[in-house]
Amino acid sequence: DYRLISLKNLIDERGQLIFGETLRDIPFEIKRFYCIVDAPIDSKRGFHAHINLKQCLICLKGACDIIIDDGKIRRTVSLAKPSDALIIEGEIWRELHNFSFDCVLLVLADEYYDPDDYIHDHSDFLRRKNA
Ligand code: T46
């Protein structure tokens, strides 16, 4: 339901070039993107799961932690390299913490924004996982 993948990156004296292709590196077609920037260091985001949405989270600059909760185990995935991409595909609870002052988080998604695809209540999330 979630995994960390390494995107191809080429480093030379001109800098670092990172790239990926849909359906080859990113396992879905992209319909939407959004970015989180200027998040205060102590801010927390997310605190929901998605029912159908597939996402790819890439920290282009700085760092942040993503707490991933599959209903049984909570793990922290630290994103601190622009070549790391966190793919989340199933019903996974996520919380975003520990933003560095310069964090630029890019999220690619396979669907348009749909408020009905969100599960905001952790108890509802656990009930669905255990049903
Ligand atoms: C997620 C985490 C990692 C839109 O209108 N369009 C959009 O594409 C998005 C992402 C948000 N919005 C509106 C909905 C809310 O009224 O922006 C407002 C703030 O969104 P939210 O509180 O959901 O933001 P986060 O950072 O807590 O969650 C976001 C994504 O919503 C979510 O899909 O997985 O980032």
Side-chain angles (χ1 to χ4, degrees):
D1 281 345
Y2 66 91
R3 61 195 181 277
L4 199 58
I5 62 170
S6 291
L7 299 173
K8 296 173 197 97
N9 65 329
L10 295 175
I11 302 173
D12 63 23
E13 64 284 355
R14 298 170 298 169
Q16 185 172 181
L17 178 70
I18 297 149
F19 50 92
E21 296 178 340
T22 57
L23 303 179
R24 291 182 171 169
D25 306 287
I26 311 297
F28 52 80
E29 301 264 19
I30 298 160
K31 279 196 185 162
R32 176 168 59 107
F33 74 91
Y34 58 91
C35 297
I36 295 173
V37 296
D38 295 338
I41 284 172
D42 56 356
S43 66
K44 300 177 194 326
R45 306 190 65 114
F47 291 83
H48 57 248
H50 281 284
I51 299 169
N52 290 311
L53 190 68
K54 298 177 181 172
Q55 290 170 303
C56 172
L57 288 74
I58 303 172
C59 193
L60 292 176
K61 193 167 173 59
C64 63
D65 288 341
I66 321 287
I67 293 178
I68 294 290
D69 174 351
D70 66 3
K72 293 198 176 92
I73 298 172
R74 278 168 75 86
R75 289 200 179 87
T76 300
V77 177
S78 295
L79 291 179
K81 282 196 294 187
S83 56
D84 280 348
L86 176 64
I87 309 289
I88 305 178
E89 291 187 292
E91 268 188 38
I92 297 283
W93 185 265
R94 78 289 311 269
E95 300 171 9
L96 282 62
H97 298 261
N98 295 332
F99 294 94
S100 65
F101 73 97
D102 57 348
C103 179
V104 176
L105 182 69
L106 170 68
V107 184
L108 312 174
D110 77 325
E111 271 307 336
Y112 300 123
Y113 176 68
D114 175 7
D116 294 333
D117 190 64
Y118 285 69
I119 305 164
H120 288 288
D121 186 298
H122 194 257
S123 311
D124 288 347
F125 164 72
L126 290 179
R127 257 192 299 279
R128 290 172 64 96
K129 293 302 260 188
N130 297 316

